[in-house]
């Protein structure tokens, strides 16, 4: 069957059209996305602004047209931390539903981590053994670990790259004190619940998903996306540590010249790099393998599993 998966993230709205069948890997057929930057459209009270609501509504309406044009039988819509954490999230999604007819579900942080873990497990398979998964989004960091398809532990932290850039840098170039404070907060947040994952011992395999991790891996020498998803990619801790001072020193308008960095995300590279470094350091990992499957694939796979059971 052909499915449309509407992913409303903190940075981007993304419709992925896939041909999906039980027992087969979801095959991407078409992609449509727009930079919504909802994490940056939150006002001082924590509500999505009217500008953000209008952008989300317009994108959803267009995504529905695209999904219908591409022959989708169904569309699965979900939103992550920017909408989840907004004080007016229910009103925002009701507005979108009234204007477009599309009902978008808000995923909890735990569900986001769980579904991402499912996708990574299916990608690497049972040979991965006990698996640890990290995902840096625009609004949150998800961590999960376990030896089965459902993780033993899964949780979410308010350490998304866009969120941190807004909170600590405010659009300005970070100074040494801002970097120190950011680094301190990141590590305290991650370390607070690190025992959830560490109690079971070191993972046999540690993987990372998301645009932030892919960009950092590319900066550190990983193969470009054009080489295809089957090429192994990783983010080594030592190389990341060597790059962080350089990333801080590079003027923001020049960061987009680096491989794998899009102009709309240059302000998120330094916070994302500090979160990635902290994850590897605190969990004693020398590198993270980059997995091309993430939350969207997890949503698709769970839906196919449900259809299979019902069938």
């Amino acid at each position: 069957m052909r499915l449309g998966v509407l992913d409303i993230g903190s940075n981007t709205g993304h419709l992925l059209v896939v041909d999906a069948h039980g027992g087969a890997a979801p095959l991407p057929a078409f992609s449509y996305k727009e930079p919504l930057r909802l994490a940056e459209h939150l006002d001082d009270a924590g509500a999505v602004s009217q500008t953000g609501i209008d952008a989300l509504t317009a994108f959803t309406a267009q995504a529905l047209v695209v999904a219908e044009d591409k022959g989708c039988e169904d569309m699965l819509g979900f939103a992550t931390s920017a909408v989840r954490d907004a004080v007016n999230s229910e009103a925002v999604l009701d507005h979108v539903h009234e204007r477009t007819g599309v009902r978008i579900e808000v995923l909890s942080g735990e569900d986001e981590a769980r579904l991402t873990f499912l996708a990574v497990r299916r990608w690497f398979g049972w040979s991965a053994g006990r698996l640890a998964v990290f995902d840096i989004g625009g609004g949150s960091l998800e961590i999960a670990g376990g030896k089965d398809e459902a993780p033993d532990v899964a949780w979410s932290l308010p350490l998304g790259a866009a969120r941190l850039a807004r909170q600590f840098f405010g659009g300005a170039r970070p100074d040494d004190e801002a970097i120190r404070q950011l680094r301190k907060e990141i590590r305290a947040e991650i370390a607070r619940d690190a025992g959830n994952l560490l109690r079971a011992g070191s993972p046999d395999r540690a993987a990372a998903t998301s645009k932030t991790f892919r960009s950092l891996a590319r900066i550190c020498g990983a193969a470009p996306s054009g080489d295809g998803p089957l090429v192994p990619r990783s983010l080594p801790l030592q190389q990341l540590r060597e790059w962080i001072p350089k990333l801080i020193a590079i003027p923001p308008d020049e960061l987009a010249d680096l491989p794998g960095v899009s102009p709309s995300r240059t302000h998120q590279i330094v916070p994302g790099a500090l979160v990635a470094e902290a994850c590897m350091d605190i969990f004693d990992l020398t590198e993270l393998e980059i997995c091309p499957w993430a939350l969207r694939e997890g949503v698709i796979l769970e839906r196919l599993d449900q259809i299979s059971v019902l069938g």
Side-chain angles (χ1 to χ4, degrees):
M1 66 185 301
R2 178 159 283 196
L3 291 173
V5 183
L6 185 64
D7 176 357
I8 305 302
S10 299
N11 287 309
T12 306
H14 189 174
L15 171 70
L16 182 65
V17 177
V18 296
D19 291 320
H21 305 278
L27 181 65
F30 189 79
S31 177
Y32 165 66
K33 56 186 175 181
E34 293 288 345
L36 300 179
R37 301 178 76 159
L38 292 178
E40 297 169 34
H41 283 301
L42 297 175
D43 61 25
D44 293 339
V48 178
S49 68
Q50 190 60 50
T51 300
I53 294 172
D54 291 344
L56 173 57
T57 304
F59 172 77
T60 303
Q62 184 58 34
L64 180 60
V65 171
V66 173
E68 292 175 351
D69 285 348
K70 297 301 177 183
C72 292
E73 298 178 42
D74 195 5
M75 188 158 77
L76 312 176
F78 64 89
T80 54
S81 64
V83 176
R84 179 171 67 233
D85 297 340
V87 297
N88 62 336
S89 61
E90 186 173 341
V92 170
L93 297 181
D94 284 345
H95 180 273
V96 172
H97 182 242
E98 290 168 4
R99 296 298 178 91
T100 69
V102 176
R103 175 59 72 183
I104 297 172
E105 175 188 358
V106 176
L107 292 180
S108 70
E110 182 177 342
D111 278 344
E112 193 174 341
R114 177 183 62 81
L115 289 166
T116 301
F117 182 90
L118 171 63
V120 178
R121 167 62 75 190
R122 293 276 178 93
W123 179 267
F124 286 120
W126 296 113
S127 64
R130 180 169 176 80
L131 183 64
V133 175
F134 303 86
D135 185 326
I136 303 172
S140 59
L141 164 70
E142 276 68 49
I143 302 173
K147 62 184 186 305
D148 298 319
E149 287 208 329
D152 299 329
V153 293
W155 74 102
S156 180
L157 297 169
L159 296 177
R163 182 198 295 265
L164 296 176
R166 185 180 69 251
Q167 289 179 346
F168 284 84
F169 303 159
R173 188 170 179 177
D175 57 24
D176 290 345
E177 180 58 22
I179 293 294
R180 190 186 72 82
Q181 288 295 334
L182 175 56
R183 187 176 185 274
K184 177 181 176 182
E185 177 157 326
I186 288 170
R187 287 170 178 261
E189 280 277 5
I190 294 173
R192 185 175 297 121
D193 295 314
N196 292 345
L197 190 64
L198 293 172
R199 286 189 190 94
S202 299
D204 299 305
R205 201 161 192 169
T209 72
S210 78
K211 173 67 172 175
T212 296
F213 274 119
R214 293 197 304 272
S215 295
L216 292 170
R218 182 75 182 97
I219 289 170
C220 291
S225 59
D227 286 359
L230 299 182
V231 175
R233 296 173 176 86
S234 66
L235 176 62
L237 176 58
Q238 184 56 43
Q239 286 179 252
L240 178 62
R241 280 178 170 159
E242 293 171 0
W243 262 102
I244 286 176
K246 302 175 190 176
L247 295 174
I248 294 170
I250 294 173
D253 59 344
E254 294 180 16
L255 284 170
D257 295 331
L258 294 173
V261 181
S262 57
S264 64
R265 292 177 181 256
T266 55
H267 62 300
Q268 301 179 30
I269 287 297
V270 170
L274 293 173
V275 172
E277 179 195 31
C279 287
M280 286 189 275
D281 199 9
I282 289 171
F283 292 102
D284 195 25
L285 304 167
T286 58
E287 70 172 7
L288 290 169
E289 294 183 66
I290 305 300
C291 179
W293 279 6
L295 177 59
R296 280 185 294 274
E297 287 77 14
V299 170
I300 295 166
L301 291 167
E302 183 173 69
R303 178 58 178 272
L304 289 176
D305 290 347
Q306 292 169 347
I307 292 173
S308 176
V309 170
L310 293 174

